């Protein structure tokens, strides 16, 4: 305990008052049985609230969650802005002693790994043309776990293999390493670093300020998600390089924060260099063709693609041709990124004034036909698309903006449809 | 591999002055007219470059004897003994040498042609070499390739490995090149007292020593002064430990007493005055917005303890003991300061003295720097400016974003449309070809008619007549069965296994060699230098040699497998053809351009 | 102990087992066709649909074409089932290939269903009739109550006395055959192993088990099982909560209706002049429970890693059922708290309930909150349950006799040998000169030793 | 290219079938000689009825895809007893009315068969499916069936692709049965990417048989059945500049538009290549 307080390895400041009761949790936690801890840890009681009649009810945090999401939405969707569609992102994972902390269950390290996995999948889903690399910080040095690549599985496998923590973490070493790595990539690529930082200190061999300036110079956008407390140096780093700095309260929050980095960030004016990238659109090998693929040395029936330049065989897209190094994609991959170019406008909450007059309101959600009326035929909360004026339930709202990426209303009306096109 | 035609033989061997001599490892390279020996360790003197003309005979040990030796005797007495890793290697060389000697014997005056491969192995470090050799030994396929191309003289060693950087790094001994900062967790002297005897032991590791030195200049100084001339290292540390022990027992009087009779010990017990004046300097750099009154110079040792509640000896001691007192917080702060400073020395931790000196040096350097530092004030000023404005009031720093203006998203669709139809056999014009003559109104009318019609009559019965249904079902069944045939029983079952082992081996070998060649071939484009040009040509020739081999395979296998094999070979041929085509095209426009620019670069 | 494992034998097997002419008779009724169609395995349904409008015989190859390698077994099952049910009739064409053609009546009926839809067997009561219909909730409540008190009656005849007065004991006997066994009339009947297992099945399964029993002995009550079946199926297509006039039924059917009323499948309602019957959920579910689809109802049990069990239920039945294998500690208004203990499990095992049944019961009835967890029931608990079960089978007791204090070693030796010869030897300790023999061979040993004495 | 989604392990064959019916009047009148809308309807309705017949937990929802609007016309789950598909007819008529009324405004008659709003109905279907997913762990397995005839509408490309990817993400296969004259590039991709079936019946009068044989297959059975494979979809793109298919090209790093040869300036987003954007005020106001 002593040591903790010494180097401030306390707990999140932004959880101030919980501090002591949480503490004693831990004290008694040691004496507890597994089955009891199962509850103590997932803090099941926090999801309960007492209603007027004194009965316990699960909190419906739907509205609350929806509000949060809308906040995110407003910051995220800004039409007519360039996005870094082709990203080269290094995820730097802090595996220092601090990552062994148990305040996240089972441990920070494991939780982070879990989130990173989710993130990687989401990332490639959203940015099929981008690449990710993994770097770990431990024992005061940074190690390159995997170098830039387009296949989620390989990264995840590598990470899961390397999950043990020790020593201190050095932000500087990490940045230096990443800087060197990212310097090699072409100018049109957007260079980014996402650091998942558990430690409360960085012990660096030299002056980190210089390193930060170096990164700024190299147009590397550094973002940090902290797991413990806010650190000045992190804040400074992100500010300088135009990244995001955020500190997670608990696992869900962490997930949220990490996933915020999945959609491509707006391109900084002086960083953005438009360029033409040479790409190949390989043809699907006809059924019945057998060939040995260049990725794993075995003969495959049909399927697969052949590089248009060197006729080498690759198994899946997108990838870089092993032989002639040509970037191979398919048109759907480009299409996946299109919605970043035409972001869908946020819906507005239907103001209570209108809601008071039910007859003006459609009975059910335009998207999913769910009734918009609360039990008791009172109009429930709903949103409306500014363009097509259709009403949607909150769930649809979220689905539409987070996954579907186009408004059923606008899409299903000729004239408004054409309008949207004009606007974009 | 050991056929007479080939020009060069390169083997790893150790040169021995005598049979007993362990010998120096290196690379033995035999060409038609001379043999050269390059030791792995460039520094070593044993380099040889001897023409076969001077060699009059060669002896060698029998296969299976304990050493694979080859002894080349020079006409003027001298002889070169080489030990090879294995007998095959030796025999290859033996045969070669035999032929070479014979050759130089009758046609001694042949013009020596220079070896096809420019020798680039010289600049390689021994370690590098080791790694490569290791790799080759581990991976037989790699070795095959290496034999075929490097030793076959198509690729140079460097070129060959260039594409395998990653491989090299992987099993490269994991010594991070980054410098490690001082450990974050502080070393607190935990005396380990064993129960009965009242002796207390401290154990010091190099790291700890480094820390002590870094944090306690005085100790470092003392060390430099005392050891070894005044006392042995051991004595020194025991004294130090003694001192530490005294501190740990918070008995100040005792400490003072001890210090009184032993002045070396005193050094450790007293306040560290180097730090004190260091602290004075520091005070200037402290962030000006900090309220120093709050905790009078918290991290400066010149004021013993400050603010921190002291639970032990509340009794006021007369000032003479003052210097012997030390509070934990001082220790702590000092540690923090050092860690933050992030001073790193590049000295082997092992020997204490050099560590001490190194630290001392850096210290001096810094002091010097500080003394003559205008930069410091400047930095301080900007620090002030950054501090004074409260961040909430600061304007959002995020830089301007680049605007995006896309004219018409329809383009994106068209990017699909055209080819989509082409694949499906009907043309884009197909879209246009069905014009509807009727006006919107009529169209709607007929539509609604249809609906109402069925509404009143109900569904037609029977929905479809038996024949049609049967035909359709049949058609679908056939369609399915047909592409089932294509797919084979299950798509991911490997064809290779069905082939006889030899054929498979051969195929795979060729495949991998083709891959290798193609890699190099494509990587050498766009051709900018003469070197690349020659390389490309070389590669192309090599590939064109493989081409017929593939054909042979196709013929070689028995008829039942031929179909499969040819299917397998086909893609390889295509790949090669593509390469050739590219090459020719390149050559063409090189010629075209060579008009205006000489040699086409 | 012997493991009687009763499963709600699939209804279709029963139908399939009906003689040909009866089957064809069944297919006259469109509803039965529908019910049977629904109860088929997916692949079979698919084939029916494919061949629906085809009169010409279709080769089995053509159907098999679209089946992947690992689906072939399913394909066979489906075809066999169809043939059993005489929905498809198999024949060999000249190329000796199996060809199939669909049972015309069946085909015709299903086509009708698709094109016109079926007309309900009888009109629901006009809303103008004298009395108000029970709401669906009430109806469900009624059905559940009826059903549960029937089950309760099984568990503890004494408990259920008052409840079960309305079930005619004769019917009760029919329903309970195989579940209860009564040595003689003095002592109350007790559950057979089958009975215990029955209690752990989910409602649909239970329902069908009973119905099967019911149909099974219909013959001896002079009923034609085919009629019975068709009526039951018909019943399942009535709209829940609608009232139908009893007079539209034949006398036999009336009889049946009464029996079913006891089980809560229908509710009898006395109108002013004529009486009505109202099918409940149970009845309309009949055709669902035909198919093997798992029952889609909410569970209520939570099991902790510490073997404690919380059942959110106020039902007496649930409590009783849990008692079968757990120690119920206390009962709150809506919560039953219990613990799974070695003793309670042993009791269950003795009653012939198997560990697997218990576990699957716990899993099927898991409370939604734990249902989404993996595993639903903590591993340590499930494992322990299995272990305890295997414990029972581990030790085997053999009545035996123990000999010691042999006069001399050779006597001892001889005794051992003799024991071995007569196959009664169990164990010996030559150092202490101890010997254990089977009880049955004790006599011989005595013989032998006495002989040795002299 | 994203491979067809892995089919998840399904325990039973209870399925939710979202059917998108193309009600483009121009289209139907154009092919009336071969295959009238009423014929089409009778086949489809029969099919829907048979789906409902197979398992009483099965659910069918029909969305009409007009040229000016899209709308739900049938939901078997609404109402206490599961109704039969015929009941959609009145709704459908209504819908046609509405569709027409909307079209009055811009009278684009005569020239060519317009496209119908597939993107709209797809989006609606997906929303509905999401709602089913939300309804709890025990939901029927959803799939989408597009009965489509009209040509693809260029304007909808991005929207449709978005829906496709969303469907893929939530593992909802999109089956497509093209009753039109020419193939549909959209649906082809949709089915390929989401692991659905793409089929263009040769004999329209046998439509029911096609539906019953291929599209009636529930996801559970698809694990061990082999359905007609789509001809390998060509995923090459064609350049914006000349609209001809290319297998190697240049992509604008800003707007991902495709060109067959090197350019100075992107014709789509107007950014000049090879130099940093000049920072203009309009951008900063965006924030």
């Amino acid at each position: 305990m002593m040591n903790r307080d010494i180097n401030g390895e306390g707990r999140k400041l932004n959880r101030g008052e919980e501090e002591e009761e949480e503490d004693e949790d831990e004290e008694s936690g040691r004496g507890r049985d597994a089955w009891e801890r199962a509850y103590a840890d997932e803090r099941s009681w926090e999801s309960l609230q007492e209603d007027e009649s004194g009965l316990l009810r699960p909190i419906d945090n739907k509205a609350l969650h929806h509000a949060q999401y809308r906040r995110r939405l407003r910051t995220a969707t800004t039409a007519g802005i360039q996005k870094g569609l082709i990203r080269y992102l290094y995820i730097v994972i802090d595996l220092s002693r601090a990552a062994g902390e148990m305040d996240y269950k089972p441990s920070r390290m494991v939780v982070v790994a879990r989130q990173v996995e989710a993130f990687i999948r989401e990332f490639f889903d959203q940015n099929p043309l981008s690449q990710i690399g993994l770097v770990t910080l431990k024992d005061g040095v940074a190690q390159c776990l995997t170098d830039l690549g387009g296949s989620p599985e390989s990264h995840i496998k590598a990470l899961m293999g390397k999950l043990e923590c020790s020593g201190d973490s050095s932000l500087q070493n990490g940045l230096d390493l990443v800087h060197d790595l990212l310097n090699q990539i072409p100018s049109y690529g957007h260079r980014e670093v996402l650091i998942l930082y558990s430690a409360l200190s960085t012990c660096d061999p030299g002056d980190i300020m210089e390193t930060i300036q170096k990164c700024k110079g190299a147009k590397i956008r550094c973002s940090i998600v902290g797991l413990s407390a806010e650190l000045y140096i992190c804040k400074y780093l992100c500010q300088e390089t135009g990244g995001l700095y955020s500190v997670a309260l608990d696992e869900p929050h962490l997930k949220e924060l990490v996933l915020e980095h999945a959609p491509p960030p707006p391109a900084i004016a002086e960083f953005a260099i438009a360029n033409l990238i040479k790409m190949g659109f390989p043809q699907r090998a006809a059924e019945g063709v057998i060939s040995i693929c260049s990725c794993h040395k075995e003969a495959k029936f049909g399927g697969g693609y052949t590089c248009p330049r060197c006729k080498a065989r690759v198994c899946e897209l997108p990838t870089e041709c092993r032989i002639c190094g040509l970037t191979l994609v398919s048109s759907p991959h480009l299409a996946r990124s299109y919605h970043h170019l035409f972001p869908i406008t946020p819906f507005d909450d239907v103001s209570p004034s209108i809601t008071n007059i039910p007859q003006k309101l459609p009975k059910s959600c335009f998207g999913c036909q769910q009734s918009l009326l609360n039990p008791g035929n009172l109009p429930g909360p709903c949103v409306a698309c500014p363009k097509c004026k259709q009403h949607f339930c909150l769930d649809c709202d979220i689905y539409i903006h987070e996954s579907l990426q186009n408004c059923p209303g606008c899409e299903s009306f000729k004239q408004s449809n054409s309008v949207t096109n004009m606007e974009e | 591999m050991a056929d007479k035609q080939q020009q060069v033989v390169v083997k790893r061997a150790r040169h021995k002055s005598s049979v007993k001599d362990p010998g120096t490892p290196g690379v033995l390279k035999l060409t038609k007219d001379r043999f050269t020996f390059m030791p792995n360790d460039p520094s070593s003197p044993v380099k040889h470059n001897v023409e076969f003309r001077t060699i009059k005979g060669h002896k060698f040990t029998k296969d299976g004897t304990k050493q694979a030796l080859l002894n080349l005797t020079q006409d003027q007495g001298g002889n070169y003994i080489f030990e090879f890793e294995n007998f095959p290697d030796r025999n290859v060389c033996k045969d070669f040498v035999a032929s070479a000697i014979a050759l130089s014997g009758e046609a001694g005056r042949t013009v020596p042609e220079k070896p096809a491969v420019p020798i680039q192995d010289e600049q390689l470090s021994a370690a590098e070499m080791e790694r490569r050799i290791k790799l080759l030994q581990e991976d037989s396929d790699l070795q095959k390739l290496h034999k075929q191309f490097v030793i076959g003289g198509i690729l140079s060693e460097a070129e060959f490995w260039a594409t395998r950087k990653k491989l090299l790094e992987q099993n490269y001994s994991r010594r991070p090149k980054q410098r490690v900062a001082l450990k974050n967790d502080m070393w607190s002297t935990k005396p380990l007292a064993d129960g009965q005897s009242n002796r207390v032991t401290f154990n010091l590791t190099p790291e700890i020593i480094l820390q002590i030195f870094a944090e306690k200049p005085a100790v470092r100084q003392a060390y430099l002064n005392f050891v070894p001339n005044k006392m042995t290292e051991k004595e020194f540390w025991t004294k130090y430990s003694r001192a530490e022990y005294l501190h740990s027992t918070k008995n100040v009087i005792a400490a003072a007493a001890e210090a009184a009779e032993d002045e070396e010990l005193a050094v450790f017990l007293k306040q560290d005055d180097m730090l004190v004046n260091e602290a004075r300097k520091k005070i200037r750099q402290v962030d000006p917005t900090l309220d120093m009154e709050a905790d009078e110079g918290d991290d400066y040792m010149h004021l013993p303890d400050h603010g921190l509640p002291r639970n032990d000896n509340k009794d006021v001691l007369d000032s003479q003991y003052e210097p012997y007192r030390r509070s934990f917080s001082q220790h702590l702060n000092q540690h923090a300061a050092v860690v933050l400073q992030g001073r790193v020395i590049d000295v082997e931790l092992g020997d204490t003295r050099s560590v001490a000196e190194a630290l001392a040096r850096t210290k001096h350097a810094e002091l010097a720097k500080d003394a003559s530092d205008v930069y410091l004030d400047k930095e301080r000023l900007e620090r002030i400016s950054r501090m004074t404005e409260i961040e909430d009031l600061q304007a959002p720093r995020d830089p301007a974003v680049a605007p995006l203006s896309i004219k018409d998203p329809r383009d994106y669709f068209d990017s699909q449309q055209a080819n989509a139809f082409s694949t499906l056999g009907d043309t884009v014009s197909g879209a246009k070809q069905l014009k509807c003559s009727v006006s919107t109104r009529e169209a709607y009318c007929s539509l609604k008619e249809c609906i109402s019609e069925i509404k009143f009559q109900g569904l037609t019965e029977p929905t479809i007549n038996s024949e049609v249904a049967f035909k359709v079902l049949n058609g679908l069944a056939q369609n399915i069965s047909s592409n089932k045939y294509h797919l084979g029983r299950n798509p991911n079952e490997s064809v290779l296994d069905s082939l006889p082992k030899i054929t498979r081996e051969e195929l795979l070998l060729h495949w991998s060699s083709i891959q290798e060649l193609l890699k190099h071939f494509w990587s050498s484009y766009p051709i900018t230098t003469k070197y690349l040009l020659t390389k490309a040509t070389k590669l192309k020739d090599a590939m064109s040699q493989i081409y017929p081999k593939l054909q042979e395979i196709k013929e070689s296998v028995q008829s039942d497998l031929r179909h499969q094999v040819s299917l397998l070979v086909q893609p390889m041929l295509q790949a090669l053809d593509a390469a050739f085509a590219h090459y020719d095209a390149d050559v063409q426009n090189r010629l075209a351009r060579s008009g205006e620019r000489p040699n086409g670069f | 102990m012997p493991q009687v494992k009763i499963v709600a034998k699939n209804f279709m097997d029963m139908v399939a087992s009906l003689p040909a002419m009866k089957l064809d008779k069944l297919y006259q009724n469109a509803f039965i066709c529908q019910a049977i169609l629904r109860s088929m395995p997916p692949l079979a349904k698919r084939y029916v649909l494919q061949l629906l409008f085809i009169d010409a015989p279709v080769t089995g190859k053509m159907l098999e074409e679209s089946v992947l390698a690992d689906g072939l077994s399913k394909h066979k099952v489906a075809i066999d089932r169809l043939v059993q049910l005489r929905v498809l009739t198999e024949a060999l064409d000249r190329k000796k290939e199996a060809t199939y053609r669909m049972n015309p009546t069946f085909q015709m009926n299903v086509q009708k269903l698709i094109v016109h839809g079926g007309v309900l067997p009888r009109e629901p009561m006009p809303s103008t009739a004298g009395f108000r219909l029970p709401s669906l909730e009430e109806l469900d409540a009624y059905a559940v109550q009826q059903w549960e008190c029937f089950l309760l009656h099984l568990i503890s005849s004494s408990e259920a006395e008052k409840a079960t007065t309305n079930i005619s004991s004769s019917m009760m006997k029919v329903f309970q055959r195989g579940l209860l066994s009564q040595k003689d009339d003095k002592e109350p009947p007790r559950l057979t192993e089958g009975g215990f297992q029955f209690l752990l099945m989910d409602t649909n399964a239970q329902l069908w088990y009973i119905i099967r029993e019911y149909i099974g002995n219909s013959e001896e009550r002079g009923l034609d099982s085919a009629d019975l079946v068709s009526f039951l199926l018909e019943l399942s297509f009535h709209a829940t909560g609608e009232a139908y006039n009893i007079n539209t039924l034949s006398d036999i059917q009336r009889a049946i209706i009464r029996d079913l009323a006891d089980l809560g499948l229908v509710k009898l309602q006395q109108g002013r002049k004529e009486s009505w019957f109202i099918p409940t959920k149970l009845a309309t579910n009949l055709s669902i429970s035909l198919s093997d689809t798992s029952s889609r109802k909410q569970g209520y049990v939570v099991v902790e890693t510490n073997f404690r069990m919380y059942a959110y239920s106020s039902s007496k039945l649930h409590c009783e059922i849990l008692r079968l294998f757990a120690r119920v500690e206390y009962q709150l208004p809506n919560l039953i708290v219990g613990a799974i203990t070695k003793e309670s499990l042993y009791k269950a095992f003795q009653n012939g309930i198997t560990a697997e049944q218990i576990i699957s019961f716990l899993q099927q009835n898991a409370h939604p909150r734990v249902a989404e967890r993996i595993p639903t029931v903590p591993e340590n608990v499930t494992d322990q349950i299995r272990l305890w079960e295997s414990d029972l089978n581990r030790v085997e007791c053999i009545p035996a006799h123990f000999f010691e204090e042999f006069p001399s070693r050779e006597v001892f030796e001889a005794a051992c040998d003799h024991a071995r010869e007569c196959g009664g030897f169990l164990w010996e300790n030559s150092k202490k000169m101890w010997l254990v023999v089977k009880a049955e061979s004790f006599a011989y040993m005595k013989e032998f030793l006495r002989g040795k004495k002299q | 290219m994203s491979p067809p989604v892995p089919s998840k392990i399904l325990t039973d064959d209870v399925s939710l079938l979202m059917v998108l019916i193309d009600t483009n009047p121009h289209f139907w009148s154009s092919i009336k000689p071969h295959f009238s809308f009423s014929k089409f309807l009778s086949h489809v309705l029969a099919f829907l009825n048979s789906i409902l017949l197979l398992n009483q937990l099965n659910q069918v929802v029909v969305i009409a895809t007009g040229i000016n609007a899209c709308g739900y016309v049938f939901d078997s789950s609404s109402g206490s007893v599961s109704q039969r598909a015929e009941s959609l007819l009145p709704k459908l008529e209504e819908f046609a009315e509405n569709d027409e009324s909307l079209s009055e405004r811009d009278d684009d008659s005569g020239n060519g068969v317009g496209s119908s709003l597939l993107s709209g109905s797809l989006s609606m279907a997906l929303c509905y499916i999401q709602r089913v997913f939300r309804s709890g762990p025990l939901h029927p397995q959803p799939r989408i069936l597009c009965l489509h005839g009209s040509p693809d509408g260029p304007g909808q490309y991005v929207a449709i692709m978005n829906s496709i990817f969303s469907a893929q993400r939530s593992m909802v296969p999109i089956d497509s049965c093209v009753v039109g004259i020419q193939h549909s590039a959209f649906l082809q991709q949709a089915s390929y990417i989401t692991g659905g079936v793409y089929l263009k019946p040769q004999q329209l009068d046998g439509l029911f048989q096609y539906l019953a044989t291929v599209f009636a297959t529930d996801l559970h059975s698809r694990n061990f059945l082999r359905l007609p494979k789509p001809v390998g979809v060509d995923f090459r793109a064609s350049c914006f500049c000349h609209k001809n298919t290319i297998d190697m090209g240049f992509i604008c790093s800003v707007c991902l538009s495709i060109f067959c040869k090197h350019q100075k300036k992107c014709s789509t987003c107007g950014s000049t290549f090879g130099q940093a954007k000049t920072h203009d005020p309009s951008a900063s106001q965006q924030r």
Side-chain angles (χ1 to χ4, degrees), chain B residues 26-253:
Chain B
V27 179
L28 176 63
K29 183 165 187 356
L30 305 170
T31 65
K32 284 177 61 154
D33 61 331
R34 58 176 61 244
F35 68 88
T36 54
F37 177 77
M38 284 298 158
N40 292 344
D41 166 12
S43 61
S44 100
V46 277
K47 290 199 179 63
H48 299 288
N49 186 342
V50 186
E51 297 196 2
F52 278 123
R53 284 194 265 96
T54 64
I55 301 296
K56 69 179 194 313
H58 65 288
K59 311 194 221 64
F60 48 90
T61 54
K62 269 199 280 1
D63 288 20
T65 50
K66 66 182 189 306
Q67 288 174 310
L69 294 182
L70 178 64
N71 182 344
L72 304 176
T73 47
Q74 221 163 1
D75 38 17
Q76 56 271 55
N79 64 352
Y80 305 90
I81 306 177
F82 297 102
E83 179 182 2
F84 294 85
E85 286 161 345
N86 50 19
F87 283 96
D89 281 6
R90 199 278 311 272
N91 297 343
V92 170
C93 296
K94 182 194 72 186
D95 303 347
F96 189 95
V97 168
S99 61
I101 292 177
L103 212 97
S104 57
E106 102 273 332
R109 308 277 133 348
T110 43
V111 279
E113 75 217 49
K114 60 177 284 296
V117 187
I119 304 173
Q120 297 176 331
D121 302 1
E122 281 83 345
Q123 66 270 32
L124 286 173
S125 69
E128 185 71 8
M129 214 49 180
E130 279 311 309
R131 238 176 298 133
R132 293 181 175 183
I133 296 172
K134 185 152 150 296
L135 270 177
L136 286 178
Q137 284 159 347
E138 283 165 356
D139 178 346
S140 61
D141 301 356
L142 198 58
Q143 198 165 13
K144 279 209 204 78
L145 286 178
H146 188 265
K147 260 220 188 73
Q148 188 174 352
F149 297 129
V150 179
I151 302 179
I154 297 161
L155 294 174
S156 76
E157 186 87 3
E159 287 169 338
F160 181 78
W161 289 108
T163 55
R164 292 184 172 68
K165 282 240 166 17
K166 192 89 194 92
L167 212 58
L168 286 171
E169 275 151 21
Q170 267 172 12
N171 57 7
Y172 173 50
S173 57
R174 275 239 167 275
R175 191 173 43 70
K177 46 213 158 303
Q178 298 144 350
R179 303 181 308 162
V180 188
L182 214 53
K183 284 275 174 303
N184 183 356
D185 48 0
M186 66 187 286
W187 172 69
S188 53
T189 41
K190 281 271 171 298
L192 321 164
D194 58 350
Q196 53 281 37
S197 73
N198 58 359
R199 88 114 70 81
V200 180
T201 50
F202 295 83
N203 38 13
L204 300 170
T205 67
E207 291 78 18
I208 295 181
I209 291 181
L210 169 61
Q211 257 192 6
I212 297 175
F213 281 161
E215 291 174 23
K216 305 201 174 119
V219 179
R220 186 182 66 230
Q221 209 44 51
Y223 182 88
L224 291 177
N225 301 341
F226 299 161
V227 184
N229 42 34
K230 207 149 183 294
M231 60 180 79
T232 72
E233 175 142 9
K234 189 159 187 331
E235 291 166 348
F236 177 82
W237 288 119
T238 31
K239 266 200 191 308
Y240 174 75
S241 315
R242 173 79 185 141
E244 277 304 320
Y245 175 67
L246 283 173
H247 281 303
S248 61
T249 68
K250 297 236 170 355
N251 181 349
V252 184
I253 301 97

Side-chain angles (χ1 to χ4, degrees), chain A residues 20-207:
Chain A
E20 51 290 324
E21 62 93 56
E22 191 190 20
D23 263 0
E24 97 218 349
D25 266 4
E26 289 216 334
E27 305 316 324
S28 48
R30 298 186 181 80
R32 258 207 229 92
D33 296 330
W35 65 276
E36 286 174 312
R37 235 177 279 124
Y39 289 95
D41 293 348
E42 71 201 24
R43 304 170 151 268
S44 47
W45 60 85
E46 282 179 354
S47 63
L48 289 178
Q49 71 184 7
E50 207 171 300
D51 67 3
E52 58 289 341
S53 59
L55 295 172
L56 286 181
R57 304 212 172 294
I59 303 173
D60 70 327
N61 39 22
K62 192 169 161 192
L64 192 130
H65 164 249
H66 186 256
Q68 286 175 351
Y69 136 80
R70 298 192 58 89
R71 214 176 307 112
R72 246 179 300 137
L73 196 60
R74 234 165 267 112
T75 57
T77 55
T78 40
I81 294 266
Q82 273 189 35
K83 304 275 174 62
L85 292 179
I86 298 165
R87 310 165 64 183
Y88 292 82
L89 171 68
Y90 266 100
I91 307 178
V92 178
I93 302 167
D94 170 6
L95 289 180
S96 66
R97 226 180 303 100
E101 286 289 326
M102 308 280 279
D103 51 359
Y104 289 73
K105 303 296 175 189
S107 80
R108 288 183 183 180
M109 171 169 58
V110 175
V111 171
V112 166
R114 214 181 289 140
Q115 300 313 333
V116 168
E117 174 172 6
F119 173 77
I120 291 179
R121 296 190 189 287
E122 179 65 20
F123 179 87
F124 283 116
D125 188 63
Q126 293 215 28
N127 322 279
L129 302 178
S130 307
Q131 297 190 337
I132 280 189
L134 293 183
V135 171
T136 58
L137 300 178
K138 67 163 70 163
D139 301 328
V141 299
Q143 275 185 13
C144 182
L145 201 55
T146 62
D147 39 18
L148 288 171
S151 104
E153 296 319 316
S154 58
H155 294 306
I156 293 167
K157 235 175 97 269
L159 175 60
M160 292 314 168
K162 275 268 185 293
L163 271 190
E164 62 275 344
C165 61
S166 66
D168 306 313
S169 68
S170 158
L171 213 45
Q172 191 187 18
N173 278 336
L175 289 175
D176 280 330
L177 178 63
V178 171
H179 175 269
D180 300 346
L181 291 167
L182 280 179
N183 254 345
Q184 302 152 5
I185 66 152
S187 62
Y188 57 77
H190 289 250
R191 308 162 177 197
E192 293 178 55
V193 188
L194 172 57
I195 305 174
L196 295 164
Y197 207 66
S198 308
L200 265 173
S201 63
T202 161
C203 41
D204 302 325
D207 180 0

